[in-house]
Amino acid sequence: MLENTLKVSCMKIGVEEEPEIQAAVRVLLGGLGEDVNRKGYKQNVNDIVEGALFPEAGLEDDKVGEAGGTGGIVIVRDLNLYSSCESCLLPFEVKCHVGYVPSRQRVVGLSKLSRVADVFAKRLQDPQRMADEICLALQCSIEPAGVAVILECLHIDFPTLESTIVGPSQEVWKKAVVSSGSGVFENKEAGNDMWTEFFGLLKMKSLADRIQKSMCTGHWCPSQAPSISVIPPDMVSAVATILRTLGEDQLRKELIGTPARFLNWLLNFQARDFKMKLDGFASKIWEPRKSDGDVKGNMKIHSELNLPLRSQCEHHLLPFYGVVHVGYFSAAGMNPIGKTILQSVVHFYGSKLQVQERLTKQIAETMAPLLGGDIIVVAEASHTCMLSRGVEKFGSSTATIAVLGRFSTDPKARALFMESLPFTEL
């Protein structure tokens, strides 16, 4: 019954369609001011296309089994998934909890609950519809007494200068918690014993309140905010071509504004003359320091930790996010450079198509004249291209380092700075 209900064949892209979608990606890159003919970009275009064409998982030869038991609720918790927001095409993180009450001793292998959730995650989605589709598919296929689904979703916010110079308590993620129920779980009102039991097994007493609050906060995707960008028509057509090639109905009401909303995000990373902006910015607010070898004995390492970082991977056009740590030598009694200045440098270089290795080096080379030339920069980031496609390595992160001046020749200074780094959970 599962395979008849949920069988989804992998999408096959015809040879004649490949040039069209690759040409569309090149239009997007050109609209960002990138040189699509520079070395390496031909392969990058292919990577982007392959990353966008996520095949939908099928359910082959899966059978509904039988087992004894008391007929109590069965739960699979904390299924880590990624889906793509239908409003703006950005990936969003999902923690999925699925439960069902078997009927007539009919049970399904627990791994299949995860696979059913994965089927519906690998398509353009809205959190509530995704929860409803998972719930309906399980209800129709295994005919239990009831199915309960809860999704905890995180959507990266759109970057602005203000949003990257925020305190640790400032929310930089949009959150939504949604639920869906059938059968004995259909009634979501307080006092439903089955939902109470479900929440109890999840060990999340506050989850019910979070679901209610999420339902009252309106649309969760930050792309619904008014756009301030002027969107080039050829880039809109390029995104529409990608949607059509993926088999989506561009006239579906949820997708009508999607190309413009996606580009409103993408144009945050348009190529600009950063050197000119940074030179003018720095010269007005800070006098560059000079390295003085005669006073090294009086120098101490000053650290500026956890500077927020958000950027866009140039290989897959997917976001990566994390923090930057900066260390430099400062003479005793000298006031450290302002955190806002360092954060602005991080923001400038994050606001373009990047790779983390180059980004780390650029930050170090730009900050070095401001900080006396002796500098160490460590960037820690989580890449959605590693989480939402391909290897799908949840919990993975990447660290890169750049050193200049004394830090490049003094292992003890590097070690001392590294010991000061906090544990960062991205």
Side-chain angles (χ1 to χ4, degrees), residues 292-329:
D292 190 345
D294 295 333
V295 297
K296 283 186 177 179
N298 296 322
M299 303 288 277
K300 65 176 182 178
I301 297 177
H302 182 82
S303 301
E304 199 64 69
L305 307 176
N306 291 326
L307 300 170
L309 163 68
R310 277 185 287 177
S311 192
Q312 189 88 339
C313 171
E314 73 174 25
H315 293 157
H316 307 102
L317 294 188
L318 290 173
F320 63 93
Y321 56 91
V323 293
V324 172
H325 313 293
V326 179
Y328 57 95
F329 283 98

PDB file of all heavy atoms in Angstrom, residues 292-329:
ATOM      1  N   ASP A 292      55.150  47.702  15.563  1.00  0.00           N
ATOM      2  CA  ASP A 292      56.415  48.175  16.124  1.00  0.00           C
ATOM      3  C   ASP A 292      57.100  47.023  16.833  1.00  0.00           C
ATOM      4  O   ASP A 292      56.692  46.609  17.910  1.00  0.00           O
ATOM      5  CB  ASP A 292      56.153  49.319  17.106  1.00  0.00           C
ATOM      6  CG  ASP A 292      57.451  50.012  17.543  1.00  0.00           C
ATOM      7  OD1 ASP A 292      58.526  49.423  17.303  1.00  0.00           O
ATOM      8  OD2 ASP A 292      57.366  51.119  18.100  1.00  0.00           O
ATOM      9  N   GLY A 293      58.133  46.510  16.203  1.00  0.00           N
ATOM     10  CA  GLY A 293      58.819  45.351  16.765  1.00  0.00           C
ATOM     11  C   GLY A 293      59.481  45.648  18.087  1.00  0.00           C
ATOM     12  O   GLY A 293      59.755  44.746  18.880  1.00  0.00           O
ATOM     13  N   ASP A 294      59.780  46.933  18.415  1.00  0.00           N
ATOM     14  CA  ASP A 294      60.489  47.266  19.654  1.00  0.00           C
ATOM     15  C   ASP A 294      59.610  47.141  20.892  1.00  0.00           C
ATOM     16  O   ASP A 294      60.107  47.093  22.006  1.00  0.00           O
ATOM     17  CB  ASP A 294      61.033  48.692  19.579  1.00  0.00           C
ATOM     18  CG  ASP A 294      62.101  48.838  18.493  1.00  0.00           C
ATOM     19  OD1 ASP A 294      62.753  47.820  18.184  1.00  0.00           O
ATOM     20  OD2 ASP A 294      62.256  49.956  17.967  1.00  0.00           O
ATOM     21  N   VAL A 295      58.269  47.097  20.698  1.00  0.00           N
ATOM     22  CA  VAL A 295      57.397  47.063  21.868  1.00  0.00           C
ATOM     23  C   VAL A 295      56.661  45.745  21.986  1.00  0.00           C
ATOM     24  O   VAL A 295      55.679  45.632  22.687  1.00  0.00           O
ATOM     25  CB  VAL A 295      56.370  48.231  21.811  1.00  0.00           C
ATOM     26  CG1 VAL A 295      57.077  49.543  21.860  1.00  0.00           C
ATOM     27  CG2 VAL A 295      55.494  48.128  20.570  1.00  0.00           C
ATOM     28  N   LYS A 296      57.147  44.713  21.312  1.00  0.00           N
ATOM     29  CA  LYS A 296      56.430  43.438  21.338  1.00  0.00           C
ATOM     30  C   LYS A 296      56.325  42.882  22.746  1.00  0.00           C
ATOM     31  O   LYS A 296      55.391  42.168  23.084  1.00  0.00           O
ATOM     32  CB  LYS A 296      57.120  42.431  20.416  1.00  0.00           C
ATOM     33  CG  LYS A 296      56.821  42.678  18.942  1.00  0.00           C
ATOM     34  CD  LYS A 296      57.397  41.588  18.061  1.00  0.00           C
ATOM     35  CE  LYS A 296      57.020  41.824  16.608  1.00  0.00           C
ATOM     36  NZ  LYS A 296      57.598  40.793  15.722  1.00  0.00           N
ATOM     37  N   GLY A 297      57.297  43.192  23.580  1.00  0.00           N
ATOM     38  CA  GLY A 297      57.229  42.665  24.934  1.00  0.00           C
ATOM     39  C   GLY A 297      56.054  43.208  25.710  1.00  0.00           C
ATOM     40  O   GLY A 297      55.602  42.595  26.678  1.00  0.00           O
ATOM     41  N   ASN A 298      55.548  44.396  25.332  1.00  0.00           N
ATOM     42  CA  ASN A 298      54.418  45.006  26.028  1.00  0.00           C
ATOM     43  C   ASN A 298      53.091  44.749  25.320  1.00  0.00           C
ATOM     44  O   ASN A 298      52.075  45.319  25.715  1.00  0.00           O
ATOM     45  CB  ASN A 298      54.637  46.518  26.144  1.00  0.00           C
ATOM     46  CG  ASN A 298      55.851  46.851  26.991  1.00  0.00           C
ATOM     47  OD1 ASN A 298      56.101  46.180  27.991  1.00  0.00           O
ATOM     48  ND2 ASN A 298      56.601  47.868  26.578  1.00  0.00           N
ATOM     49  N   MET A 299      53.129  43.952  24.288  1.00  0.00           N
ATOM     50  CA  MET A 299      51.913  43.686  23.520  1.00  0.00           C
ATOM     51  C   MET A 299      51.170  42.498  24.110  1.00  0.00           C
ATOM     52  O   MET A 299      51.769  41.555  24.623  1.00  0.00           O
ATOM     53  CB  MET A 299      52.264  43.403  22.060  1.00  0.00           C
ATOM     54  CG  MET A 299      53.050  44.495  21.360  1.00  0.00           C
ATOM     55  SD  MET A 299      52.077  45.968  21.012  1.00  0.00           S
ATOM     56  CE  MET A 299      51.295  45.455  19.483  1.00  0.00           C
ATOM     57  N   LYS A 300      49.872  42.537  24.005  1.00  0.00           N
ATOM     58  CA  LYS A 300      49.054  41.402  24.415  1.00  0.00           C
ATOM     59  C   LYS A 300      48.038  41.111  23.319  1.00  0.00           C
ATOM     60  O   LYS A 300      47.708  41.988  22.506  1.00  0.00           O
ATOM     61  CB  LYS A 300      48.346  41.686  25.733  1.00  0.00           C
ATOM     62  CG  LYS A 300      47.322  42.806  25.661  1.00  0.00           C
ATOM     63  CD  LYS A 300      46.595  42.973  26.977  1.00  0.00           C
ATOM     64  CE  LYS A 300      45.521  44.067  26.878  1.00  0.00           C
ATOM     65  NZ  LYS A 300      44.775  44.204  28.144  1.00  0.00           N
ATOM     66  N   ILE A 301      47.561  39.863  23.303  1.00  0.00           N
ATOM     67  CA  ILE A 301      46.591  39.477  22.288  1.00  0.00           C
ATOM     68  C   ILE A 301      45.205  39.944  22.706  1.00  0.00           C
ATOM     69  O   ILE A 301      44.744  39.655  23.816  1.00  0.00           O
ATOM     70  CB  ILE A 301      46.595  37.948  22.083  1.00  0.00           C
ATOM     71  CG1 ILE A 301      47.948  37.475  21.557  1.00  0.00           C
ATOM     72  CG2 ILE A 301      45.474  37.543  21.120  1.00  0.00           C
ATOM     73  CD1 ILE A 301      48.049  35.968  21.407  1.00  0.00           C
ATOM     74  N   HIS A 302      44.554  40.668  21.807  1.00  0.00           N
ATOM     75  CA  HIS A 302      43.156  41.058  22.018  1.00  0.00           C
ATOM     76  C   HIS A 302      42.292  40.248  21.050  1.00  0.00           C
ATOM     77  O   HIS A 302      42.634  40.101  19.878  1.00  0.00           O
ATOM     78  CB  HIS A 302      42.941  42.549  21.776  1.00  0.00           C
ATOM     79  CG  HIS A 302      41.531  42.985  22.027  1.00  0.00           C
ATOM     80  ND1 HIS A 302      41.054  43.270  23.285  1.00  0.00           N
ATOM     81  CD2 HIS A 302      40.477  43.135  21.181  1.00  0.00           C
ATOM     82  CE1 HIS A 302      39.778  43.597  23.209  1.00  0.00           C
ATOM     83  NE2 HIS A 302      39.402  43.534  21.934  1.00  0.00           N
ATOM     84  N   SER A 303      41.184  39.734  21.548  1.00  0.00           N
ATOM     85  CA  SER A 303      40.306  38.881  20.737  1.00  0.00           C
ATOM     86  C   SER A 303      38.928  39.511  20.601  1.00  0.00           C
ATOM     87  O   SER A 303      38.384  40.063  21.564  1.00  0.00           O
ATOM     88  CB  SER A 303      40.166  37.495  21.373  1.00  0.00           C
ATOM     89  OG  SER A 303      41.423  36.864  21.501  1.00  0.00           O
ATOM     90  N   GLU A 304      38.379  39.408  19.405  1.00  0.00           N
ATOM     91  CA  GLU A 304      36.989  39.778  19.153  1.00  0.00           C
ATOM     92  C   GLU A 304      36.317  38.526  18.597  1.00  0.00           C
ATOM     93  O   GLU A 304      36.628  38.079  17.488  1.00  0.00           O
ATOM     94  CB  GLU A 304      36.911  40.931  18.163  1.00  0.00           C
ATOM     95  CG  GLU A 304      35.584  41.660  18.189  1.00  0.00           C
ATOM     96  CD  GLU A 304      35.321  42.360  19.527  1.00  0.00           C
ATOM     97  OE1 GLU A 304      35.999  43.339  19.840  1.00  0.00           O
ATOM     98  OE2 GLU A 304      34.413  41.870  20.251  1.00  0.00           O
ATOM     99  N   LEU A 305      35.423  37.933  19.384  1.00  0.00           N
ATOM    100  CA  LEU A 305      34.895  36.615  19.073  1.00  0.00           C
ATOM    101  C   LEU A 305      33.432  36.685  18.641  1.00  0.00           C
ATOM    102  O   LEU A 305      32.705  37.619  18.964  1.00  0.00           O
ATOM    103  CB  LEU A 305      35.028  35.695  20.295  1.00  0.00           C
ATOM    104  CG  LEU A 305      36.430  35.590  20.910  1.00  0.00           C
ATOM    105  CD1 LEU A 305      36.403  34.731  22.162  1.00  0.00           C
ATOM    106  CD2 LEU A 305      37.427  35.052  19.900  1.00  0.00           C
ATOM    107  N   ASN A 306      33.024  35.663  17.888  1.00  0.00           N
ATOM    108  CA  ASN A 306      31.619  35.457  17.514  1.00  0.00           C
ATOM    109  C   ASN A 306      31.023  36.623  16.737  1.00  0.00           C
ATOM    110  O   ASN A 306      29.906  37.070  17.020  1.00  0.00           O
ATOM    111  CB  ASN A 306      30.772  35.165  18.756  1.00  0.00           C
ATOM    112  CG  ASN A 306      31.088  33.819  19.373  1.00  0.00           C
ATOM    113  OD1 ASN A 306      31.414  32.865  18.669  1.00  0.00           O
ATOM    114  ND2 ASN A 306      30.999  33.726  20.693  1.00  0.00           N
ATOM    115  N   LEU A 307      31.760  37.121  15.743  1.00  0.00           N
ATOM    116  CA  LEU A 307      31.183  38.098  14.821  1.00  0.00           C
ATOM    117  C   LEU A 307      30.295  37.347  13.827  1.00  0.00           C
ATOM    118  O   LEU A 307      30.764  36.448  13.125  1.00  0.00           O
ATOM    119  CB  LEU A 307      32.292  38.833  14.063  1.00  0.00           C
ATOM    120  CG  LEU A 307      33.291  39.625  14.913  1.00  0.00           C
ATOM    121  CD1 LEU A 307      34.461  40.089  14.057  1.00  0.00           C
ATOM    122  CD2 LEU A 307      32.615  40.801  15.593  1.00  0.00           C
ATOM    123  N   PRO A 308      28.999  37.651  13.751  1.00  0.00           N
ATOM    124  CA  PRO A 308      28.098  36.895  12.874  1.00  0.00           C
ATOM    125  C   PRO A 308      28.519  36.976  11.410  1.00  0.00           C
ATOM    126  O   PRO A 308      28.936  38.028  10.919  1.00  0.00           O
ATOM    127  CB  PRO A 308      26.740  37.569  13.089  1.00  0.00           C
ATOM    128  CG  PRO A 308      26.847  38.229  14.430  1.00  0.00           C
ATOM    129  CD  PRO A 308      28.276  38.675  14.538  1.00  0.00           C
ATOM    130  N   LEU A 309      28.387  35.853  10.727  1.00  0.00           N
ATOM    131  CA  LEU A 309      28.751  35.747   9.307  1.00  0.00           C
ATOM    132  C   LEU A 309      27.618  35.089   8.544  1.00  0.00           C
ATOM    133  O   LEU A 309      27.084  34.059   8.970  1.00  0.00           O
ATOM    134  CB  LEU A 309      30.021  34.906   9.147  1.00  0.00           C
ATOM    135  CG  LEU A 309      30.320  34.369   7.740  1.00  0.00           C
ATOM    136  CD1 LEU A 309      30.678  35.515   6.801  1.00  0.00           C
ATOM    137  CD2 LEU A 309      31.436  33.329   7.778  1.00  0.00           C
ATOM    138  N   ARG A 310      27.256  35.697   7.415  1.00  0.00           N
ATOM    139  CA  ARG A 310      26.346  35.044   6.467  1.00  0.00           C
ATOM    140  C   ARG A 310      26.815  35.368   5.058  1.00  0.00           C
ATOM    141  O   ARG A 310      27.157  36.512   4.764  1.00  0.00           O
ATOM    142  CB  ARG A 310      24.905  35.498   6.667  1.00  0.00           C
ATOM    143  CG  ARG A 310      24.193  34.755   7.780  1.00  0.00           C
ATOM    144  CD  ARG A 310      22.746  35.125   7.872  1.00  0.00           C
ATOM    145  NE  ARG A 310      22.589  36.476   8.426  1.00  0.00           N
ATOM    146  CZ  ARG A 310      21.408  37.062   8.559  1.00  0.00           C
ATOM    147  NH1 ARG A 310      20.323  36.449   8.149  1.00  0.00           N
ATOM    148  NH2 ARG A 310      21.318  38.274   9.068  1.00  0.00           N
ATOM    149  N   SER A 311      26.840  34.353   4.213  1.00  0.00           N
ATOM    150  CA  SER A 311      27.274  34.559   2.840  1.00  0.00           C
ATOM    151  C   SER A 311      26.586  33.544   1.945  1.00  0.00           C
ATOM    152  O   SER A 311      25.698  32.805   2.388  1.00  0.00           O
ATOM    153  CB  SER A 311      28.806  34.441   2.740  1.00  0.00           C
ATOM    154  OG  SER A 311      29.253  34.909   1.478  1.00  0.00           O
ATOM    155  N   GLN A 312      26.982  33.522   0.673  1.00  0.00           N
ATOM    156  CA  GLN A 312      26.354  32.679  -0.340  1.00  0.00           C
ATOM    157  C   GLN A 312      27.438  31.900  -1.074  1.00  0.00           C
ATOM    158  O   GLN A 312      28.374  32.494  -1.628  1.00  0.00           O
ATOM    159  CB  GLN A 312      25.568  33.549  -1.326  1.00  0.00           C
ATOM    160  CG  GLN A 312      24.694  32.791  -2.296  1.00  0.00           C
ATOM    161  CD  GLN A 312      23.304  32.521  -1.744  1.00  0.00           C
ATOM    162  OE1 GLN A 312      23.086  32.551  -0.536  1.00  0.00           O
ATOM    163  NE2 GLN A 312      22.354  32.246  -2.623  1.00  0.00           N
ATOM    164  N   CYS A 313      27.321  30.570  -1.056  1.00  0.00           N
ATOM    165  CA  CYS A 313      28.292  29.704  -1.715  1.00  0.00           C
ATOM    166  C   CYS A 313      28.233  29.902  -3.231  1.00  0.00           C
ATOM    167  O   CYS A 313      27.179  29.765  -3.844  1.00  0.00           O
ATOM    168  CB  CYS A 313      27.999  28.243  -1.362  1.00  0.00           C
ATOM    169  SG  CYS A 313      28.962  27.056  -2.315  1.00  0.00           S
ATOM    170  N   GLU A 314      29.376  30.234  -3.825  1.00  0.00           N
ATOM    171  CA  GLU A 314      29.387  30.483  -5.273  1.00  0.00           C
ATOM    172  C   GLU A 314      29.296  29.187  -6.075  1.00  0.00           C
ATOM    173  O   GLU A 314      28.999  29.219  -7.268  1.00  0.00           O
ATOM    174  CB  GLU A 314      30.640  31.259  -5.671  1.00  0.00           C
ATOM    175  CG  GLU A 314      31.934  30.475  -5.653  1.00  0.00           C
ATOM    176  CD  GLU A 314      33.101  31.280  -6.203  1.00  0.00           C
ATOM    177  OE1 GLU A 314      33.061  32.535  -6.166  1.00  0.00           O
ATOM    178  OE2 GLU A 314      34.049  30.655  -6.670  1.00  0.00           O
ATOM    179  N   HIS A 315      29.528  28.045  -5.451  1.00  0.00           N
ATOM    180  CA  HIS A 315      29.451  26.769  -6.172  1.00  0.00           C
ATOM    181  C   HIS A 315      28.016  26.301  -6.365  1.00  0.00           C
ATOM    182  O   HIS A 315      27.701  25.638  -7.352  1.00  0.00           O
ATOM    183  CB  HIS A 315      30.245  25.693  -5.427  1.00  0.00           C
ATOM    184  CG  HIS A 315      31.713  25.933  -5.413  1.00  0.00           C
ATOM    185  ND1 HIS A 315      32.550  25.394  -4.461  1.00  0.00           N
ATOM    186  CD2 HIS A 315      32.504  26.672  -6.223  1.00  0.00           C
ATOM    187  CE1 HIS A 315      33.797  25.786  -4.693  1.00  0.00           C
ATOM    188  NE2 HIS A 315      33.785  26.565  -5.752  1.00  0.00           N
ATOM    189  N   HIS A 316      27.144  26.587  -5.401  1.00  0.00           N
ATOM    190  CA  HIS A 316      25.788  26.036  -5.444  1.00  0.00           C
ATOM    191  C   HIS A 316      24.692  27.084  -5.279  1.00  0.00           C
ATOM    192  O   HIS A 316      23.513  26.753  -5.279  1.00  0.00           O
ATOM    193  CB  HIS A 316      25.617  24.982  -4.341  1.00  0.00           C
ATOM    194  CG  HIS A 316      26.675  23.924  -4.360  1.00  0.00           C
ATOM    195  ND1 HIS A 316      27.738  23.917  -3.475  1.00  0.00           N
ATOM    196  CD2 HIS A 316      26.843  22.853  -5.163  1.00  0.00           C
ATOM    197  CE1 HIS A 316      28.510  22.874  -3.731  1.00  0.00           C
ATOM    198  NE2 HIS A 316      28.003  22.218  -4.745  1.00  0.00           N
ATOM    199  N   LEU A 317      25.082  28.366  -5.084  1.00  0.00           N
ATOM    200  CA  LEU A 317      24.112  29.442  -4.833  1.00  0.00           C
ATOM    201  C   LEU A 317      23.237  29.131  -3.627  1.00  0.00           C
ATOM    202  O   LEU A 317      22.023  29.417  -3.622  1.00  0.00           O
ATOM    203  CB  LEU A 317      23.233  29.709  -6.071  1.00  0.00           C
ATOM    204  CG  LEU A 317      23.942  30.273  -7.301  1.00  0.00           C
ATOM    205  CD1 LEU A 317      22.926  30.672  -8.373  1.00  0.00           C
ATOM    206  CD2 LEU A 317      24.825  31.460  -6.959  1.00  0.00           C
ATOM    207  N   LEU A 318      23.838  28.534  -2.601  1.00  0.00           N
ATOM    208  CA  LEU A 318      23.141  28.250  -1.352  1.00  0.00           C
ATOM    209  C   LEU A 318      23.863  28.963  -0.212  1.00  0.00           C
ATOM    210  O   LEU A 318      25.081  29.147  -0.246  1.00  0.00           O
ATOM    211  CB  LEU A 318      23.100  26.740  -1.090  1.00  0.00           C
ATOM    212  CG  LEU A 318      22.196  25.926  -2.022  1.00  0.00           C
ATOM    213  CD1 LEU A 318      22.383  24.434  -1.777  1.00  0.00           C
ATOM    214  CD2 LEU A 318      20.737  26.309  -1.825  1.00  0.00           C
ATOM    215  N   PRO A 319      23.115  29.376   0.821  1.00  0.00           N
ATOM    216  CA  PRO A 319      23.735  30.164   1.888  1.00  0.00           C
ATOM    217  C   PRO A 319      24.622  29.333   2.807  1.00  0.00           C
ATOM    218  O   PRO A 319      24.416  28.128   2.978  1.00  0.00           O
ATOM    219  CB  PRO A 319      22.531  30.720   2.661  1.00  0.00           C
ATOM    220  CG  PRO A 319      21.396  29.825   2.333  1.00  0.00           C
ATOM    221  CD  PRO A 319      21.652  29.282   0.971  1.00  0.00           C
ATOM    222  N   PHE A 320      25.631  29.992   3.387  1.00  0.00           N
ATOM    223  CA  PHE A 320      26.336  29.428   4.527  1.00  0.00           C
ATOM    224  C   PHE A 320      26.428  30.499   5.602  1.00  0.00           C
ATOM    225  O   PHE A 320      26.381  31.696   5.311  1.00  0.00           O
ATOM    226  CB  PHE A 320      27.711  28.851   4.150  1.00  0.00           C
ATOM    227  CG  PHE A 320      28.724  29.822   3.615  1.00  0.00           C
ATOM    228  CD1 PHE A 320      29.640  30.450   4.464  1.00  0.00           C
ATOM    229  CD2 PHE A 320      28.815  30.083   2.250  1.00  0.00           C
ATOM    230  CE1 PHE A 320      30.597  31.319   3.972  1.00  0.00           C
ATOM    231  CE2 PHE A 320      29.779  30.952   1.742  1.00  0.00           C
ATOM    232  CZ  PHE A 320      30.674  31.573   2.603  1.00  0.00           C
ATOM    233  N   TYR A 321      26.516  30.065   6.844  1.00  0.00           N
ATOM    234  CA  TYR A 321      26.387  30.991   7.963  1.00  0.00           C
ATOM    235  C   TYR A 321      27.224  30.504   9.132  1.00  0.00           C
ATOM    236  O   TYR A 321      27.521  29.306   9.252  1.00  0.00           O
ATOM    237  CB  TYR A 321      24.916  31.105   8.401  1.00  0.00           C
ATOM    238  CG  TYR A 321      24.299  29.780   8.756  1.00  0.00           C
ATOM    239  CD1 TYR A 321      24.339  29.295  10.070  1.00  0.00           C
ATOM    240  CD2 TYR A 321      23.692  28.983   7.787  1.00  0.00           C
ATOM    241  CE1 TYR A 321      23.804  28.064  10.385  1.00  0.00           C
ATOM    242  CE2 TYR A 321      23.156  27.749   8.096  1.00  0.00           C
ATOM    243  CZ  TYR A 321      23.208  27.298   9.401  1.00  0.00           C
ATOM    244  OH  TYR A 321      22.676  26.071   9.708  1.00  0.00           O
ATOM    245  N   GLY A 322      27.632  31.431   9.973  1.00  0.00           N
ATOM    246  CA  GLY A 322      28.439  31.047  11.118  1.00  0.00           C
ATOM    247  C   GLY A 322      28.969  32.262  11.842  1.00  0.00           C
ATOM    248  O   GLY A 322      28.281  33.290  11.963  1.00  0.00           O
ATOM    249  N   VAL A 323      30.223  32.165  12.306  1.00  0.00           N
ATOM    250  CA  VAL A 323      30.840  33.250  13.077  1.00  0.00           C
ATOM    251  C   VAL A 323      32.292  33.406  12.657  1.00  0.00           C
ATOM    252  O   VAL A 323      32.909  32.481  12.122  1.00  0.00           O
ATOM    253  CB  VAL A 323      30.767  32.990  14.602  1.00  0.00           C
ATOM    254  CG1 VAL A 323      29.333  33.030  15.100  1.00  0.00           C
ATOM    255  CG2 VAL A 323      31.429  31.668  14.955  1.00  0.00           C
ATOM    256  N   VAL A 324      32.837  34.588  12.926  1.00  0.00           N
ATOM    257  CA  VAL A 324      34.246  34.896  12.666  1.00  0.00           C
ATOM    258  C   VAL A 324      34.882  35.342  13.975  1.00  0.00           C
ATOM    259  O   VAL A 324      34.297  36.139  14.726  1.00  0.00           O
ATOM    260  CB  VAL A 324      34.393  36.000  11.597  1.00  0.00           C
ATOM    261  CG1 VAL A 324      35.847  36.452  11.477  1.00  0.00           C
ATOM    262  CG2 VAL A 324      33.885  35.501  10.246  1.00  0.00           C
ATOM    263  N   HIS A 325      36.085  34.829  14.257  1.00  0.00           N
ATOM    264  CA  HIS A 325      36.864  35.228  15.426  1.00  0.00           C
ATOM    265  C   HIS A 325      38.119  35.943  14.936  1.00  0.00           C
ATOM    266  O   HIS A 325      38.797  35.463  14.024  1.00  0.00           O
ATOM    267  CB  HIS A 325      37.260  34.023  16.262  1.00  0.00           C
ATOM    268  CG  HIS A 325      36.141  33.054  16.527  1.00  0.00           C
ATOM    269  ND1 HIS A 325      35.049  33.372  17.308  1.00  0.00           N
ATOM    270  CD2 HIS A 325      35.939  31.776  16.092  1.00  0.00           C
ATOM    271  CE1 HIS A 325      34.231  32.332  17.363  1.00  0.00           C
ATOM    272  NE2 HIS A 325      34.760  31.359  16.628  1.00  0.00           N
ATOM    273  N   VAL A 326      38.444  37.065  15.559  1.00  0.00           N
ATOM    274  CA  VAL A 326      39.607  37.870  15.154  1.00  0.00           C
ATOM    275  C   VAL A 326      40.517  38.081  16.366  1.00  0.00           C
ATOM    276  O   VAL A 326      40.046  38.417  17.465  1.00  0.00           O
ATOM    277  CB  VAL A 326      39.168  39.246  14.604  1.00  0.00           C
ATOM    278  CG1 VAL A 326      40.387  40.074  14.221  1.00  0.00           C
ATOM    279  CG2 VAL A 326      38.244  39.069  13.406  1.00  0.00           C
ATOM    280  N   GLY A 327      41.817  37.852  16.170  1.00  0.00           N
ATOM    281  CA  GLY A 327      42.798  38.132  17.209  1.00  0.00           C
ATOM    282  C   GLY A 327      43.896  39.035  16.670  1.00  0.00           C
ATOM    283  O   GLY A 327      44.304  38.912  15.510  1.00  0.00           O
ATOM    284  N   TYR A 328      44.375  39.966  17.491  1.00  0.00           N
ATOM    285  CA  TYR A 328      45.452  40.858  17.062  1.00  0.00           C
ATOM    286  C   TYR A 328      46.205  41.337  18.304  1.00  0.00           C
ATOM    287  O   TYR A 328      45.704  41.267  19.435  1.00  0.00           O
ATOM    288  CB  TYR A 328      44.903  42.047  16.268  1.00  0.00           C
ATOM    289  CG  TYR A 328      43.879  42.893  16.992  1.00  0.00           C
ATOM    290  CD1 TYR A 328      44.258  44.044  17.687  1.00  0.00           C
ATOM    291  CD2 TYR A 328      42.527  42.555  16.978  1.00  0.00           C
ATOM    292  CE1 TYR A 328      43.326  44.828  18.352  1.00  0.00           C
ATOM    293  CE2 TYR A 328      41.587  43.326  17.641  1.00  0.00           C
ATOM    294  CZ  TYR A 328      41.990  44.459  18.324  1.00  0.00           C
ATOM    295  OH  TYR A 328      41.064  45.231  18.980  1.00  0.00           O
ATOM    296  N   PHE A 329      47.420  41.816  18.096  1.00  0.00           N
ATOM    297  CA  PHE A 329      48.231  42.336  19.196  1.00  0.00           C
ATOM    298  C   PHE A 329      47.875  43.796  19.460  1.00  0.00           C
ATOM    299  O   PHE A 329      47.745  44.601  18.533  1.00  0.00           O
ATOM    300  CB  PHE A 329      49.716  42.209  18.873  1.00  0.00           C
ATOM    301  CG  PHE A 329      50.237  40.813  19.031  1.00  0.00           C
ATOM    302  CD1 PHE A 329      50.366  39.974  17.934  1.00  0.00           C
ATOM    303  CD2 PHE A 329      50.588  40.334  20.285  1.00  0.00           C
ATOM    304  CE1 PHE A 329      50.843  38.686  18.079  1.00  0.00           C
ATOM    305  CE2 PHE A 329      51.065  39.044  20.438  1.00  0.00           C
ATOM    306  CZ  PHE A 329      51.194  38.206  19.331  1.00  0.00           C
TER     307      PHE A 329
END
